[in-house]
Amino acid sequence: MRSLTEQDIRNSFVNCSKGEAKRLAVPRDLGERPWDDLDFLGWRDPGAPDRSYLVTEREGRLVGVALRFQASRRGFLHRSMCSVCLTTHPGGGVTLMAARKAGAAGREGNTVGLYMCTDLACSLYVRGRKVPESGTRFEESLTVEEQIARTTGNLSAFIDKLYA
């Protein structure tokens, strides 16, 4: 993914108002992000524990998505799998993220959801740059490039549902 500026990020949101996009907390460490290892930029709002955001590229333009989730109350022995990168995590490492749909459907309250890594570090897990709390990922027969393609395809399918 190419590096982004704060203005790029704020202008990209498709499922919230311009005012909401202007007020949301953008990461302060954009210059330090490992852009070459990211398929999308994802972060949690430090001031609102139930909000996360992601920005990705779709058909040559940036698409930002505001997400909401409830804090998980699962025990450490419970494991869940991310629907984007297929990484398994113990406890609350995977959360159901809900996003308002884009346009009129979103203004009517329609949402779509997806189970995702709570820290939104899917790109780093797939590339082995970050290790899940459990210590490992399942060994796969796919190459890293194929896993990356699957991850971006899964995310694209979710983004497509925002417009459906």
Side-chain angles (χ1 to χ4, degrees), residues 7-164:
Q7 199 57 46
D8 291 335
I9 293 168
R10 291 191 189 284
N11 292 338
S12 71
F13 282 88
V14 298
N15 69 337
C16 64
S17 70
K18 288 182 181 180
E20 289 170 318
K22 187 177 180 180
R23 291 186 301 271
L24 64 84
V26 174
R28 297 288 172 224
D29 64 345
L30 293 175
E32 301 163 20
R33 295 285 173 137
W35 295 105
D36 291 338
D37 291 329
L38 297 180
D39 304 308
F40 65 91
L41 173 65
W43 73 98
R44 293 182 60 178
D45 188 331
D50 64 337
R51 291 186 195 159
S52 289
Y53 308 98
L54 70 84
V55 177
T56 189
E57 293 183 76
R58 179 179 189 261
E59 298 174 359
R61 69 181 194 93
L62 293 175
V63 175
V65 180
L67 303 158
R68 288 192 171 258
F69 64 95
Q70 286 190 324
S72 177
R73 293 177 181 87
R74 295 184 178 133
F76 188 78
L77 297 177
H78 181 89
R79 299 180 66 78
S80 299
M81 181 180 284
C82 173
S83 299
V84 175
C85 65
L86 304 187
T87 300
T88 58
H89 294 275
V94 172
T95 305
L96 177 61
M97 303 272 186
R100 272 193 322 223
K101 288 185 132 191
R107 288 189 293 277
E108 292 174 9
N110 295 323
T111 61
V112 292
L114 183 72
Y115 284 95
M116 291 184 72
C117 296
T118 304
D119 63 3
L120 299 169
C122 299
S123 302
L124 301 177
Y125 290 124
V126 168
R127 288 168 174 80
R129 303 282 192 263
K130 189 170 183 179
V131 178
E133 205 174 311
S134 60
T136 61
R137 289 186 75 227
F138 288 114
E139 190 171 324
E140 294 194 59
S141 59
L142 298 177
T143 66
V144 172
E145 290 75 23
E146 291 169 327
Q147 292 177 50
I148 291 168
R150 180 187 60 206
T151 298
T152 57
N154 290 342
L155 183 60
S156 291
F158 173 68
I159 299 296
D160 289 346
K161 290 178 185 176
L162 292 174
Y163 295 97

